[in-house]
Amino acid sequence: MHCPLHGAGTDPARLVGRTIRRIVASWHVYEGERSEVPLDVWLIDSEGDSTRISTGSDRCLIVESAAPHEPYDMGEWGRIDVGEDLGDHALLPHVGATVAGVAEHAAPGAGRARLELSFDDGARVRADCWHGDLRLTRAR
């Protein structure tokens, strides 16, 4: 999938057959309150590769090969926390699961709009951009 601003990114099909060993997420924290959803999620797989899932400024879904970044302070705008145990989201229960399949969906002229990951236990998780935020939901 090709996004006009962010390029094609990484082919998520490379995750098929790999086990998710760790999941790292980043969260915006402002005045002591953490964002409801993560800003980025990194899937670290059994091959040691790290796949980042995030959203772009054009509301596309970014899927790229990238290592987690360090937490950072944004002064009066809060901070970005990064870690493995910072909150709950739909991908978290799948640590230790093997990715059985992926499906991508595109929006005309905007690149990747949605990614769905299927796991060996039959569960599915959908990642998409909802009003500019990363949304991770259990697919039915």
Side-chain angles (χ1 to χ4, degrees):
M1 305 269 157
H2 183 79
C3 169
L5 287 179
H6 303 101
T10 297
D11 182 1
R14 73 187 184 116
L15 290 167
V16 174
R18 296 183 183 189
T19 301
I20 304 301
R21 296 286 181 219
R22 295 175 36 223
I23 297 177
V24 176
S26 71
W27 304 82
H28 180 229
V29 179
Y30 179 73
E31 294 184 347
E33 296 290 324
R34 192 189 73 212
S35 56
E36 291 183 27
V37 295
L39 302 173
D40 308 277
V41 173
W42 292 267
L43 306 176
I44 294 87
D45 64 43
S46 52
E47 299 295 317
D49 290 335
S50 177
T51 302
R52 176 179 171 247
I53 302 172
S54 189
T55 58
S57 57
D58 60 349
R59 297 188 179 200
C60 71
L61 187 69
I62 297 171
V63 178
E64 65 181 357
S65 180
H69 58 71
E70 294 295 317
Y72 57 93
D73 190 311
M74 300 186 307
E76 66 183 89
W77 295 283
R79 68 179 190 277
I80 302 298
D81 284 346
V82 178
E84 290 184 55
D85 59 352
L86 297 177
D88 189 30
H89 54 78
L91 280 167
L92 204 53
H94 301 290
V95 172
T98 300
V99 177
V102 298
E104 296 181 275
H105 305 277
R112 189 181 290 110
R114 185 172 71 231
L115 174 69
E116 190 171 293
L117 300 171
S118 302
F119 295 93
D120 55 356
D121 64 359
R124 295 178 304 154
V125 175
R126 180 176 297 138
D128 62 19
C129 182
W130 181 254
H131 299 291
D133 292 328
L134 177 62
R135 179 172 63 171
L136 301 168
T137 56
R138 290 170 182 83
R140 300 182 200 287

